[in-house]
C-alpha cells in the first residue's frame, strides 16, 4: 500500500516572530522542488498567523503543537481548533511526550483533544511512545497499545483518514539517541497491527505512521527506508533550515 510521506517540523517552544518567518521562508524555498510528499510545520501558536502568510500557496501545512477539545470558552492558556484554523493552520499534534510527562496529560485528555480536533476538521498527529524504563522492563508494546486504545476511543473509521500516528520513543527525544531502523520498524509494524485490530486492515494500510526522536540528516535515510515508516516528526533538527530541508529530501 503506498502512503504519501509526511515530514513534520515541530518547533516546540522556539522562535520569535522574526525568527519564525525567516525559518519558514528558508524552508519554503528549499522544499519547493518536492511534490511527492507532505511537509508540515508546527510553530508556536504565537507565530502561526505570520508563518501562514510566509508559506501561503506553497502546499506546506501548518499545525498547532497541541489543541483544546472546545471551540471556545474559559480554558486559560489553551488554543482551540477554530483558533488554529483562523490563524491559517489545518492540523494539530496531540499527546506529545512533553505534554504527557511535563504537563501530566493522560490518555483520557489526549483522547478529548484528538476527538475535538478531528470533529473540527483538523488533520491530527497522535504521538505515542515508551520511556526508557518501560522499554527496559519489557513494557513497550503494552504501553503503546494502551496509549493507542485510550487515545482512539470514539474516533470513527472515517475520521482515521485525517489521522497520522507518530511513534516517538521518549528516550530518543532530544537525546541524540535514535531508534535503529530495525527497532523503529518493529514498533511501527506493531502499531499498524493495532490499528487493524481496532478498525480494519484497510484503514491500517492507509494510516501514516511517523517516527520521531533525534531524526537528523545523517539518519533519516535509513529510518525512512523501513517499510512501515511513512515520515518523520522532527524536533531539534527542524530549527535549522538546511538540516530540515535535507531531512525532507530524504533518500529512501
Ligand atoms: P528531537 O528531534 O529534538 O529529538 O525531538 C523529537 C520530537 O519530540 C518531535 O516532536
Amino acid at each position: 500500500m503506498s502512503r504519501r510521506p509526511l515530514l513534520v517540523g515541530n518547533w516546540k517552544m522556539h522562535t520569535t516572530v522574526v525568527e519564525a518567518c525567516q525559518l519558514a521562508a528558508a524552508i519554503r524555498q528549499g522544499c519547493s522542488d518536492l511534490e511527492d510528499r507532505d511537509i508540515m510545520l508546527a510553530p508556536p501558536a504565537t507565530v502561526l498567523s505570520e508563518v501562514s502568510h510566509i508559506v501561503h500557496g506553497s502546499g506546506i501545512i501548518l499545525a498547532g503543537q497541541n489543541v483544546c477539545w472546545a471551540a471556545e470558552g474559559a480554558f486559560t492558556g489553551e488554543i482551540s481548533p477554530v483558533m488554529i484554523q483562523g490563524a491559517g493552520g489545518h492540523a494539530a499534534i496531540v499527546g506529545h511526550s512533553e505534554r504527557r510527562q511535563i504537563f501530566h496529560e493522560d490518555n483520557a485528555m489526549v483522547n478529548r483533544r484528538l476527538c475535538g480536533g478531528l470533529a473540527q476538521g483538523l488533520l491530527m498527529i497522535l504521538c505515542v511512545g515508551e520511556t526508557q524504563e518501560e522499554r527496559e522492563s519489557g513494557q513497550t508494546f503494552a504501553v503503546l497499545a494502551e496509549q493507542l486504545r485510550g487515545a482512539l476511543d470514539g474516533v470513527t473509521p472515517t475520521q482515521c483518514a485525517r489521522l497520522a500516528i507518530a511513534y516517538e520513543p521518549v528516550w530518543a527525544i532530544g537525546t541524540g539517541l535514535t531508534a535503529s531502523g530495525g527497532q523503529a520498524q518493529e514498533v511501527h509494524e506493531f502499531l499498524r497491527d493495532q490499528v487493524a485490530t481496532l478498525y480494519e486492515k484497510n484503514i491500517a494500510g492507509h494510516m501514516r505512521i511517523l517516527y520521531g526522536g533525534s531524526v537528523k540528516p545523517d539518519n533519516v535515510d535509513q529510518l525512512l527506508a523501513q517499510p512501515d515508516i511513512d515520515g518523520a516528526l522532527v524536533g531539534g533538527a527542524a530549527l535549522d533550515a538546511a538540516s530540515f530541508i535535507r531531512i525532507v529530501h530524504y533518500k529512501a
Side-chain angles (χ1 to χ4, degrees):
M1 180 124 10
S2 90
R3 294 174 291 267
R4 190 173 161 86
L6 171 59
L7 291 305
V8 187
N10 174 10
W11 295 1
K12 306 192 179 183
M13 199 172 73
H14 295 280
T15 69
T16 60
V17 171
V18 172
E19 290 163 348
C21 289
Q22 285 170 350
L23 181 56
I27 290 169
R28 176 182 184 151
Q29 191 178 18
C31 296
S32 60
D33 57 324
L34 295 169
E35 281 173 3
D36 61 346
R37 57 203 73 183
D38 289 333
I39 303 170
M40 184 186 289
L41 300 177
T46 46
V47 303
L48 208 48
S49 180
E50 283 84 355
V51 169
S52 81
H53 296 301
I54 304 284
V55 303
H56 183 76
S58 68
I60 293 175
I61 304 160
L62 292 186
Q65 295 178 9
N66 203 1
V67 68
C68 191
W69 48 88
E72 62 177 359
F75 297 93
T76 301
E78 289 287 323
I79 311 232
S80 82
V82 179
M83 290 170 169
I84 290 176
Q85 288 167 332
H90 293 89
I93 297 169
V94 289
H96 193 280
S97 69
E98 286 146 21
R99 298 304 316 174
R100 293 177 190 264
Q101 304 234 309
I102 307 171
F103 301 99
H104 306 295
E105 293 193 14
D106 59 11
N107 288 334
M109 177 169 287
V110 174
N111 173 250
R112 287 183 86 179
R113 294 185 184 281
L114 180 60
C115 290
L118 286 169
Q120 189 55 41
L122 291 179
L123 176 63
M124 298 297 293
I125 310 239
L126 166 66
C127 303
V128 294
E130 82 287 1
T131 63
Q132 181 149 24
E133 227 185 335
E134 289 161 346
R135 175 162 281 263
E136 283 167 3
S137 60
Q139 293 173 269
T140 298
F141 293 125
V143 167
L144 294 172
E146 185 50 31
Q147 288 178 344
L148 214 51
R149 198 200 55 73
L152 293 176
D153 188 24
V155 172
T156 67
T158 312
Q159 288 177 328
C160 285
R162 278 185 289 106
L163 175 66
I165 295 167
Y167 169 54
E168 296 210 308
V170 179
W171 48 271
I173 296 178
T175 57
L177 293 173
T178 319
S180 66
Q183 255 174 339
Q185 167 59 26
E186 182 189 31
V187 171
H188 281 231
E189 208 177 320
F190 171 79
L191 292 170
R192 201 176 300 287
D193 281 350
Q194 291 294 301
V195 174
T197 306
L198 291 168
Y199 295 93
E200 54 172 277
K201 230 174 155 164
N202 189 40
I203 287 178
H206 282 98
M207 180 81 63
R208 290 186 288 191
I209 307 181
L210 320 180
Y211 170 79
S214 298
V215 175
K216 308 283 179 211
D218 64 3
N219 60 25
V220 66
D221 296 347
Q222 62 123 347
L223 285 161
L224 273 282
Q226 300 295 326
D228 285 291
I229 302 187
D230 308 314
L233 178 51
V234 186
L239 293 169
D240 176 72
S243 291
F244 187 67
I245 290 164
R246 168 61 184 87
I247 287 169
V248 173
H249 284 81
Y250 75 89
K251 303 171 184 74

